[in-house]
Amino acid sequence: MIASGRVAHLCRRSPDYGIVPTKPSSTLRTLRGNFQSETKIDMTKVRERKRDIVADSKARNEKRVAEAGVDVMSGEGSFVDKNTIRVKNNDGSESVITGDIICINTGERPSKPAIPGLDTIPQELVLNSTTIMELGEVPDHLLVLGGGYIGLEFGQLFRRLGSEVTIVQHAGRLMPREDIDITSCLADIIKEDGITLRLNTEVTKISHSGGSISLAIKADDSTTSDIKGSHLLLAVGRVPNTEALNLSAAGVECDAKKRYIKCNELLQTNVSGIYALGDVKGPPAFTHISYDDFRILESNLIHRKKDHSKPLTTIKDRLVPYVAYTDPQLGHVGLHEAEARKLFPNAVIKTAKMPMNYVARALETDESRGLMKAVVNADTGKILGFTCLGLEGGEIMSIVQMAMMGGVRWETLRDAVWAHPSLVESLNNLWAYLE
């Protein structure tokens, strides 16, 4: 769906590239001051495209699982004891299965904040990261509760599809885990796209009347006001799917606050033979982390059984990359600046920052918004972390990730011969701003 939003964005920007529509807008202008191309959004087609991609991926995965000889049971499972699972099948029947090894990978779901009045809102107007992708129409005014990855991705998407969008964030900045210079740049981009940001703002009550949702909000200076919209997206975090598992029957321990399953570096829970992988064990909550957790268990439980001389594979010190699919993308790997300074208090930590409008390829494509930043240990030359908020930021980040995995010093990237004109060519010039 983000791809559809990007196409809509580029259609409107076509005059910036010399592609003049037969019927330009008479009021709306592009970032370069040209009158926008008029576009019409077929939300049913956008949704159909998403459904087709998901269905195709699901069918291919199910085929591969079946060809591997795996029995798949559809239903809700819960522990009877540490070796036994009771399954309430989707067809209404019940099954009991046993095993010496049980792996829990039940994931997370969107959380629902405890805000007075939320339960009185018509449920078709209250959305989460799953249900918003099933909309058949573009909301007139999308209210987004939460300024993290999900809130920003969907907020920008629906702004590009034609919605008015307001993002309400309790914290003082977007994506609080990211470095402040990165998030400040991102906030400027989001506002430039026409999205209203309300930071340091608490929602105290939600109501619905006359076809509109109303958020009663309070700013950090205690001033109050109301915001009205047509739809509400809840993007305030996720909770693990553990409550139906009857973990106590197996003796599996969870953390007391959020109910994530506790496990060690080998993904072992406190109960022998029971493992946890993916989001259900807590952050970082990314699909690719679940994939890598599988690699660890495959290595330790299958391959090592054939060769006991193989060392145990663990999650210790693994690099965690991720990409937020805003436009431009925000790709990150390794440590943030504050994390590096805290972890290495006696080292000389330096950073290199360069705006994307210093990157030739970004200028040539007229997509030069953003900033890239590297964190290095000046004593060793090692790259400790890297962020790229820019065109194909996730792909540029992946190049730096490979260097970090190989222990390549930053000087090697500076002195490399990169193809011209390419985005990765920016890694020649970034280091000139190391300080």
Side-chain angles (χ1 to χ4, degrees):
M1 292 183 75
I2 286 175
S4 296
R6 177 167 170 77
V7 170
H9 174 65
L10 291 176
C11 283
R12 293 190 186 99
R13 286 197 62 202
S14 65
D16 291 348
Y17 297 87
I19 310 300
V20 182
T22 56
K23 186 182 178 182
S25 170
S26 60
T27 56
L28 301 176
R29 293 182 180 270
T30 69
L31 298 175
R32 298 287 173 263
N34 298 303
F35 284 111
Q36 291 184 7
S37 301
E38 288 193 353
T39 57
K40 180 180 179 181
I41 304 300
D42 183 347
M43 197 62 197
T44 302
K45 182 63 177 178
V46 172
R47 182 178 63 185
E48 178 186 358
R49 178 179 178 273
K50 184 271 300 183
R51 286 176 174 176
D52 288 346
I53 292 171
V54 171
D56 180 67
S57 177
K58 182 173 182 289
R60 285 187 284 108
N61 288 336
E62 288 176 345
K63 181 181 178 182
R64 291 175 62 191
V65 168
E67 290 174 347
V70 177
D71 294 325
V72 178
M73 304 174 68
S74 298
E76 183 176 270
S78 60
F79 281 93
V80 176
D81 57 46
K82 71 183 188 69
N83 297 114
T84 309
I85 300 290
R86 177 180 289 109
V87 182
K88 295 179 181 178
N89 299 302
N90 289 345
D91 62 7
S93 63
E94 190 172 285
S95 304
V96 175
I97 54 178
T98 60
D100 295 327
I101 295 175
I102 296 176
C103 300
I104 305 171
N105 189 13
T106 51
E108 293 179 294
R109 66 185 184 280
S111 61
K112 187 176 181 179
I115 301 175
L118 179 57
D119 291 336
T120 68
I121 309 301
Q123 290 307 295
E124 66 272 16
L125 303 180
V126 180
L127 309 166
N128 59 38
S129 57
T130 300
T131 59
I132 195 171
M133 293 190 285
E134 288 299 314
L135 285 176
E137 72 286 335
V138 176
D140 291 332
H141 186 173
L142 179 64
L143 304 173
V144 181
L145 206 54
Y149 310 102
I150 292 173
L152 290 175
E153 287 173 346
F154 281 113
Q156 187 183 49
L157 164 62
F158 278 91
R159 176 60 185 154
R160 290 182 166 186
L161 294 178
S163 298
E164 183 179 350
V165 176
T166 299
I167 296 176
V168 181
Q169 169 76 327
H170 190 272
R173 59 190 179 96
L174 302 174
M175 295 186 183
R177 69 179 291 176
E178 305 300 329
D179 288 343
I180 192 167
D181 39 16
I182 297 293
T183 56
S184 294
C185 182
L186 178 59
D188 290 340
I189 290 170
I190 292 298
K191 288 186 285 188
E192 188 177 53
D193 281 1
I195 295 173
T196 301
L197 296 180
R198 303 298 291 263
L199 305 178
N200 283 313
T201 300
E202 176 188 1
V203 177
T204 58
K205 186 180 179 181
I206 304 177
S207 58
H208 180 263
S209 64
S212 293
I213 297 172
S214 181
L215 304 183
I217 61 172
K218 183 172 71 173
D220 60 343
D221 61 2
S222 296
T223 58
T224 60
S225 59
D226 292 335
I227 306 174
K228 295 187 182 298
S230 60
H231 295 69
L232 175 64
L233 170 63
L234 303 178
V236 290
R238 301 174 71 81
V239 293
N241 295 316
T242 52
E243 67 271 28
L245 297 178
N246 194 26
L247 293 172
S248 60
V252 175
E253 294 180 352
C254 294
D255 74 76
K257 185 177 181 181
K258 294 190 176 181
R259 302 299 296 169
Y260 287 115
I261 295 176
K262 295 180 179 180
C263 66
N264 61 18
E265 294 174 351
L266 300 172
L267 305 180
Q268 298 168 326
T269 68
N270 62 300
V271 179
S272 177
I274 300 180
Y275 298 81
L277 61 162
D279 297 0
V280 75
K281 71 182 191 307
F286 301 111
T287 301
H288 47 280
I289 293 299
S290 185
Y291 290 160
D292 194 60
D293 288 347
F294 165 79
R295 176 190 64 86
I296 288 168
L297 292 184
E298 179 188 33
S299 175
N300 293 339
L301 300 180
I302 297 175
H303 299 317
R304 195 168 180 273
K305 186 177 289 187
K306 301 174 184 177
D307 181 4
H308 289 288
S309 65
K310 286 176 61 70
L312 286 167
T313 306
T314 78
I315 65 174
K316 183 180 180 182
D317 296 330
R318 67 177 169 187
L319 278 175
V320 177
Y322 56 86
V323 183
Y325 286 93
T326 51
D327 188 6
Q329 296 173 9
L330 191 160
H332 176 82
V333 64
L335 299 176
H336 296 91
E337 180 181 352
E339 294 171 330
R341 295 190 187 283
K342 182 178 180 180
L343 191 62
F344 301 103
N346 298 318
V348 177
I349 302 298
K350 292 188 176 183
T351 63
K353 292 184 286 186
M354 185 175 76
M356 288 299 292
N357 59 15
Y358 285 19
V359 180
R361 182 65 177 168
L363 290 169
E364 291 158 4
T365 57
D366 199 10
E367 296 192 68
S368 58
R369 299 190 295 178
L371 172 74
M372 59 172 57
K373 177 178 182 178
V375 180
V376 305
N377 184 331
D379 296 329
T380 64
K382 284 188 175 182
I383 306 167
L384 302 178
F386 178 79
T387 305
C388 183
L389 172 63
L391 176 64
E392 298 296 347
E395 308 304 320
I396 300 174
M397 174 273 292
S398 297
I399 299 294
V400 180
Q401 178 186 353
M402 292 181 67
M404 294 169 68
M405 292 172 67
V408 175
R409 293 170 58 100
W410 65 265
E411 296 97 331
T412 303
L413 297 184
R414 179 197 62 189
D415 299 337
V417 180
W418 305 106
H420 174 80
S422 65
L423 290 169
V424 75
E425 187 181 29
S426 59
L427 297 179
N428 283 138
N429 301 327
L430 170 64
W431 314 104
Y433 304 97
L434 196 62
E435 58 183 28

